[in-house]
Amino acid sequence: MADLRVNIAGLELVNPVLTASGTFGYGIEYQDFIDLSQLGGIIVKGTTLQPREGNPYPRMAETAQGMLNCVGLQNKGVDYFCKQIYPQIKDIKTNMIVNVSGNSPEDYAECAARINELDCIPAIELNISCPNVKHGGMAFGTTTEGASSVVKAVREAYGKTLIVKLSPNVTSVTDIALAVQDAGADAVSLINTLMGMAIDIEKRKRVLSIGTGGLSGPCIKPVALRMVYQVAHAVRVPVIGLGGISNAKDAIEFLLAGASAIEIGTANFLDPTVSVKVAKGIDEYLEKHGFKSVNEIVGLCE
Amino acid sequence: MRKYVLDLQVTSVEQPGERYLLLDATNPAGPLPEMNPGQFAQLRIDDNKDTFLRRPISLHHVDYEKNEVSFLVQKVGKGTASLWQKRPGSTLNAILPLGRGFTMPTSAEQKFLLVGGGVGIAPLLFMGEAMLKMGVRPTFLLGARSKSDLIRLDAYRALGEVYVTTEDGSEGEKGFVTQHSVLQREKFDNISVCGPKPMMMAMACYAKQVGTKCEVSLENMMACGLGACLCCVEDTKDGNVCVCKEGPVFDVEKLKW
């Protein structure tokens, strides 16, 4: 067996496979299917300072090799998370990472400060790229100034590993990546969903309740891979790649492109056991090609 | 209840009606897990370029002795249509059992009315069988557009009394289930409903008028089926809740209908 361990800005992962926020609940939804300790980490559902009801139904539309969603960050707020959810997940033997979102830099910072107090949460993933909320979310992630302002505010309030999740709905993702790096991010993860739309031709109406939604699934993988490659070649901080990864081959492509770790999202819906299969597949690839450690293949593709 | 991802093996494929498919499947790896009426499975749709996600299908019948689970599927879109390609021996990958099912009677004296419309009759067979095992005879009220959409009636008649309505009057009483005369004649302790939303809303309205407890099974579009993605939410008196996890069966008192 090859050495699958990776280190993301001080965060030790048993392997480079994490599960993406919004696709894996709080991890507990999947523990009937897999041993969660076999994952590098779990990024739990987006959490905000105040509770959010999210967007009305319908929130989902199936597409060719993917899906659109406009869930809109439904969650019961950081207080509920700390009091009710955290006790249920704190003993899960993997890195439990909280995805944090907000309406303003102050919101983000306060939410992050609350999570900073939780011993068993070693990192947060800052969501400056949700396309499904009116205020905040992607609004911060699409300009260098906006992204920088949120990351600076959170950096002051948060002492542990700070991952910033980037939006693909921008002209230059590397500019945003460099801005958040300069503002104090320890790592970046990309990509969040691509903004899309579906129309019901019989009703002659847009399918999703708010009209647009975020596209995910295998259909976005080439776009994600290109962006990960570009960002990995531009920044110093570690890059976590995601976007349509459905099997070990997809994951290895992202590692070769320069990602130090990867996240699996929508593929969890098709196969709840896919994440551990991907970790196993990466190991088999490394063995087959004589690599001793997964770190040897990170960024190996010129 | 513990959930499983299983590679089931199809043992029988029947077409009880033009637009309906009855799939029986066994679990070659071991005994099927315990399942409750009203729960569902997420069936994987293989090799279909037009669809992507699994399809939530209710549990129609479970035979623990034969180690078989059955699904009654209506051809609705391309996902369900591709299940028509299944043959005996085919693999049917399923995540099950999912969700919260129907409330079952707590004593043999309770009178339960099981109301189904169209393919919504599917979970009521499993429920009727489970009731009979408890010594409670179910009463069914089944509605369809016309006689050709009334499927597997014999299976329901083997369990209890069956009342029927069709919209065109080709079988049973003409009209909707809510207009059936049995509702004027008899009083029930509980009404369990599965069918098209307007029908369920009408039954819920009737149940409220007569003061009977009523549960309905919702079928909001789902992605994960596990309560992880929050796509299939219903706006209830407790806020947006996942139909796949808190439902699909809800007490109508919890809904904003």
Side-chain angles (χ1 to χ4, degrees), chain A residues 7-298:
Chain A
N7 186 308
I8 304 286
L11 197 65
E12 297 276 354
L13 277 60
V14 292
N15 63 48
V17 180
L18 301 121
T19 54
S21 178
T23 67
F24 212 68
Y26 292 100
I28 37 188
E29 289 84 349
Y30 285 80
Q31 61 191 1
D32 282 354
F33 309 114
I34 55 171
D35 174 1
L36 300 175
S37 72
Q38 291 183 19
L39 295 173
I42 293 169
I43 304 175
V44 307
K45 180 71 193 156
T47 301
T48 51
L49 190 58
Q50 302 297 336
R52 282 192 195 228
E53 267 300 302
N55 291 317
Y57 179 85
R59 293 174 167 186
M60 190 273 287
E62 197 178 37
T63 70
Q65 285 299 300
M67 60 178 278
L68 290 158
N69 89 81
C70 66
V71 171
L73 295 175
Q74 178 181 334
N75 79 101
K76 291 183 174 170
V78 71
D79 273 340
Y80 184 89
F81 176 81
C82 293
K83 290 191 187 109
Q84 303 295 327
I85 311 272
Y86 178 67
Q88 294 180 57
I89 65 170
K90 69 181 178 57
D91 296 323
I92 295 176
K93 297 274 176 283
T94 187
N95 290 298
M96 298 301 288
I97 299 168
V98 179
N99 180 283
V100 170
S101 204
N103 292 326
S104 64
E106 296 74 30
D107 252 24
Y108 276 96
E110 200 176 333
C111 189
R114 295 291 311 280
I115 291 164
N116 199 34
E117 294 165 15
L118 305 174
D119 288 340
C120 302
I121 306 291
I124 58 171
E125 181 182 62
L126 210 59
N127 182 0
I128 55 167
S129 43
C130 178
N132 300 321
V133 291
K134 276 195 189 115
H135 306 288
M138 200 173 81
F140 292 109
T142 50
T143 65
T144 52
E145 298 79 13
S148 187
S149 69
V150 174
V151 175
K152 274 183 184 154
V154 172
R155 184 73 284 175
E156 281 181 22
Y158 189 73
K160 299 183 224 174
T161 305
L162 173 59
I163 304 162
V164 180
K165 188 172 185 177
L166 307 179
S167 172
N169 303 300
V170 293
T171 312
S172 171
V173 70
T174 48
D175 287 352
I176 311 284
L178 289 166
V180 303
Q181 172 182 271
D182 292 345
D186 295 315
V188 291
S189 58
L190 70 154
I191 59 174
N192 204 320
T193 55
L194 283 150
M195 250 183 125
M197 184 184 285
I199 291 176
D200 182 326
I201 62 165
E202 299 305 322
K203 292 178 184 161
R204 290 173 282 280
K205 277 184 177 164
R206 292 180 294 171
V207 173
L208 298 170
S209 63
I210 61 164
T212 57
L215 182 65
S216 64
C219 59
I220 72 165
K221 197 197 86 181
V223 178
L225 190 63
R226 183 265 295 177
M227 290 189 166
V228 165
Y229 182 93
Q230 287 178 326
V231 169
H233 283 75
V235 298
R236 297 184 311 273
V237 295
V239 174
I240 301 171
L242 72 149
I245 298 175
S246 307
N247 52 48
K249 178 188 163 289
D250 294 342
I252 293 160
E253 285 188 61
F254 278 79
L255 297 170
L256 292 171
S260 301
I262 58 103
E263 296 178 20
I264 296 186
T266 302
N268 291 309
F269 303 158
L270 304 191
D271 179 2
T273 69
V274 67
S275 48
V276 291
K277 287 178 184 164
V278 167
K280 191 165 172 284
I282 294 170
D283 182 41
E284 285 166 5
Y285 173 85
L286 297 173
E287 287 265 304
K288 184 181 164 194
H289 296 278
F291 295 107
K292 289 191 175 64
S293 158
V294 67
N295 295 304
E296 290 173 43
I297 69 164
V298 172

Side-chain angles (χ1 to χ4, degrees), chain B residues 141-156:
Chain B
L141 173 55
L142 308 178
R145 258 183 266 167
S146 96
K147 194 177 176 176
S148 62
D149 290 307
L150 279 165
I151 46 173
R152 306 212 72 215
L153 277 190
D154 289 347
Y156 292 81

